[in-house]
Amino acid sequence: MKIAMIGTGYVGLVSGACFSEFGVEVVCVDKDEEKINKLKAGECPIYEPGLENLVANNLAAKRLSFTTDLKTGVKGADAVFIAVGTPSRRGGGHADLSYVYGAAKEVAEAMDGYTVIVTKSTVPVGTGREVKRIVAEARPDAEFDVASNPEFLREGAAISDFMRPDRVVIGTETERAADVLSELYRPLYLLETPIVQTTLETAELTKYAANTFLATKITFINEFADLCEKVGANVQDVARGIGLDGRIGNKFLHAGPGYGGSCFPKDTLALVQTAKDAGAPIRIVETVVDINEKRKTQMAEKVVAACGGSVANKTVAVLGLTFKPDTDDMRDSPSLVIVPELQKAGASIQAYDPQGMKEAAHLFEDVVFCEGPYETMQGADVLVIVTEWNAFRALDFERVKSLLKTPILVDLRNIYNLEDMKRAGFTYYSVGREALAAE
Ligand code: UDX
C-alpha cells in the first residue's frame, strides 16, 4: 500500500515513520523546504525518543520519503492523511482549521484514482464532513471517501503509543474506506489491538472526549492536592488509594503544576467552543480550563511562600522548562507562567532543561540558561523542579546544599519523598503533601 502524510510535525512525522515501519510506502509532504531537506538527510527537526533511528532505517529501506511536492506524494496513494497543525485561533479558542482545509483542497487537485482522505490531526466535530464538501466541490469527478483516524500519541512515548496502541479509532462512511484503513493497520491485528470502527463525527468527538477527560482527571487530582495541603493529607496516597479501583485507574493522577503541551490546552478550549456552539455546553471542561490556567500562577506563589514570603532580589534556580520530560516541546508549559511571575516578584532566574533550552531561549527574557542542574543552583536561594526529567530524580543532596545559599527545594512534581528530604535537612515544599521546614 502507498500513503501520503501531509504535515511532518509531532503527529505526521511519527505516524508516517511508523506506517513505513509496518511496510507501507509512505511519502511525507510538508511546505517547509528546510524541514524536508533535513528529513531527507535523516535529521529529525523534533526531539522524540527513537524517531531519528526509525526515520533513518525506513529512509534507507526506501519505504519512507520526503517531499515538498504534494502532487507527487498524493499520486497513486491509497490514503492521504492530513496531519497538519490545528492551533487555537486567536481569542475564543476555536481550532484554526485553515491548514486542514488548505491541505484538503490541494489533495483534491492532486488525487488520481480512488483515495481515502483521512484527518489524523485533532479536528472539531464536523471537520471531516467539511473536508468532503471541499473535495467534492473541487473534484466533482473524483472517486474518494473521507475518514477520521485521530491519534492518541503522547510526546516522549509517541512511537510506542503508535506501535502498541490501546485502540485504533476509525470513523468512515463506507465499507470501502473502512477496508483501506483496516488494511493499513493490519500489523496491529497481530497484537489483537481493538479497532473501533464508527462514524466520522463519533471518531472526531472521541478524540476530544479522551483528551478532555484526561485533562479533567489531572485537574481533579490537582485540586485534591490543594485540599490535602490544607487538611494535612498526602495526595500521592489518595491517588494510589483511588487509582487501585479498576473503575478509576492509576494513570494521570500525578498532582503537579497543571497540564501543558500542544494538546490538552488547545483541545479543552476547542471542545468548550464546539459544545457551546452546539448548544450543549460542557461546563466541567470549562471549569477545568479555568482551574488549570490559574494553577500556574499558584505555583509561583508556592515558591514565594517557600522563601518566607518574598523572592525580591533572590535567585531562583529552575530545573525543567518543557511541559513534560522526554520532549523539547515548550508549548503551554507551566514554566512559561511560573518564571515570569517569579521575575515580576523580583527574582533572578537561572534555568536548565535537557532538551528545551533551544526552544526556550526566545520564550523568556533575562533568564540565565545554565549547562546542567548543579551549575543552575550555584549561589541560588531556592531550587525549583518544574519538569520531572530523569536527570533531576537523584540529585546529590549534600552537593545541592553546598551550592544553594539556603537549603530550600520546591518540588512541583513530587519527585522526592518526605522522609529523605527531612533527613537531608531541606525546607521542602511539594504538591499535595505537608511542607517541611529545615531545622
Ligand atoms: C496528550 C495525550 O496523552 C495523548 O493521548 C494525545 O494524543 C496528545 O495529548 P501529551 O500532551 O504529549 O499527550 O502529554 P501527556 O503525557 O498526556 O501529558 C500532558 C500534560 O499533563 C503534561 O503537562 C503533563 O505534565 C501533565 N500530566 C500528565 C500531569 O500533570 N499529571 C499526570 O498524571 C499526567
Side-chain angles (χ1 to χ4, degrees):
M1 290 190 87
K2 180 195 172 190
I3 66 169
M5 186 66 65
I6 315 294
T8 57
Y10 284 93
V11 172
L13 182 55
V14 169
S15 303
C18 289
F19 272 125
S20 67
E21 183 72 8
F22 283 171
V24 176
E25 185 195 338
V26 180
V27 182
C28 288
V29 182
D30 202 297
K31 291 187 182 314
D32 182 334
E33 189 146 3
E34 192 195 338
K35 189 190 274 194
I36 289 295
N37 289 337
K38 273 188 182 171
L39 285 162
K40 280 178 173 172
E43 248 183 271
C44 274
I46 55 171
Y47 174 77
E48 179 63 46
L51 186 58
E52 193 111 330
N53 275 348
L54 197 68
V55 167
N57 295 344
N58 285 286
L59 260 178
K62 304 208 179 319
R63 283 192 296 264
L64 181 62
S65 62
F66 298 95
T67 177
T68 54
D69 173 10
L70 184 138
K71 203 167 178 62
T72 318
V74 168
K75 198 167 177 48
D78 300 286
V80 176
F81 285 78
I82 298 179
V84 295
T86 56
S88 289
R89 228 164 43 201
R90 297 272 164 271
H94 284 90
D96 174 357
L97 298 171
S98 56
Y99 303 112
V100 170
Y101 295 148
K105 199 148 173 4
E106 289 186 67
V107 169
E109 281 143 23
M111 284 190 309
D112 66 338
Y114 174 69
T115 310
V116 182
I117 302 174
V118 191
T119 47
K120 172 72 72 182
S121 305
T122 302
V123 291
V125 185
T127 302
R129 207 154 294 289
E130 178 60 10
V131 165
K132 181 178 179 181
R133 192 194 62 73
I134 290 169
V135 174
E137 191 177 59
R139 288 284 304 277
D141 62 304
E143 250 200 312
F144 74 98
D145 278 309
V146 291
S148 165
N149 173 220
E151 47 78 24
F152 299 96
L153 310 179
R154 288 166 298 157
E155 286 179 26
I159 291 172
S160 60
D161 283 351
F162 191 101
M163 295 296 194
R164 284 174 296 287
D166 291 336
R167 75 322 199 165
V168 174
V169 173
I170 294 172
T172 53
E173 292 191 298
T174 65
E175 277 298 301
R176 195 176 180 191
D179 291 348
V180 167
L181 286 169
S182 298
E183 183 55 25
L184 266 176
Y185 281 104
R186 174 185 294 280
L188 293 180
Y189 283 21
L190 305 179
L191 307 172
E192 291 168 8
T193 304
I195 308 267
V196 177
Q197 293 276 13
T198 183
T199 66
L200 276 181
E201 281 77 11
T202 308
E204 289 166 340
L205 194 57
T206 301
K207 170 66 187 174
Y208 279 98
N211 272 8
T212 54
F213 181 82
L214 290 170
T216 301
K217 196 173 178 185
I218 292 165
T219 306
F220 177 87
I221 202 65
N222 281 342
E223 285 220 295
F224 260 80
D226 294 348
L227 179 55
C228 286
E229 288 175 19
K230 296 290 185 200
V231 301
N234 181 315
V235 73
Q236 289 178 308
D237 292 348
V238 168
R240 186 161 186 278
I242 62 173
L244 287 165
D245 181 325
R247 296 166 300 172
I248 297 173
N250 60 4
K251 298 270 189 344
F252 281 62
L253 283 175
H254 299 296
Y259 59 77
S262 59
C263 298
F264 288 176
K266 82 172 168 59
D267 292 354
T268 45
L269 282 175
L271 188 272
V272 162
Q273 290 305 331
T274 298
K276 276 181 181 164
D277 295 350
I282 300 207
R283 290 181 293 275
I284 192 167
V285 179
E286 290 173 27
T287 307
V288 162
V289 169
D290 183 46
I291 294 166
N292 192 66
E293 214 26 60
K294 292 188 167 78
R295 186 166 189 78
K296 300 170 189 176
T297 306
Q298 202 185 321
M299 292 298 108
E301 290 159 5
K302 183 186 282 279
V303 176
V304 172
C307 294
S310 166
V311 290
N313 307 314
K314 288 186 178 166
T315 299
V316 178
V318 173
L319 293 187
L321 296 171
T322 53
F323 82 95
K324 64 181 281 195
D326 298 330
T327 183
D328 57 355
D329 200 341
M330 286 292 299
R331 283 175 286 186
D332 273 303
S333 173
S335 65
L336 294 171
V337 172
I338 295 169
V339 166
E341 285 293 319
L342 290 171
Q343 290 175 312
K344 261 195 295 195
S348 307
I349 306 289
Q350 297 173 179
Y352 168 72
D353 186 285
Q355 291 290 341
M357 291 198 293
K358 190 158 143 279
E359 190 59 26
H362 51 269
L363 295 172
F364 294 106
E365 283 171 16
D366 305 327
V367 166
V368 174
F369 292 105
C370 302
E371 286 311 302
Y374 295 106
E375 291 79 0
T376 309
M377 49 185 98
Q378 175 75 50
D381 296 277
V382 57
L383 170 59
V384 183
I385 298 177
V386 179
T387 313
E388 67 279 30
W389 284 91
N390 285 339
F392 311 147
R393 286 182 179 277
L395 293 171
D396 172 344
F397 295 147
E398 286 317 307
R399 188 172 173 195
V400 173
K401 284 172 77 175
S402 71
L403 291 164
L404 290 176
K405 277 194 204 138
T406 41
I408 304 173
L409 171 54
V410 180
D411 177 1
L412 298 182
R413 297 291 185 164
N414 291 343
I415 287 179
Y416 292 106
N417 75 48
L418 295 170
E419 285 319 305
D420 291 349
M421 300 322 288
K422 206 173 274 181
R423 240 192 325 278
F426 278 88
T427 289
Y428 179 67
Y429 279 62
S430 58
V431 179
R433 302 182 299 173
E434 69 169 306
L436 303 176
E439 271 84 51

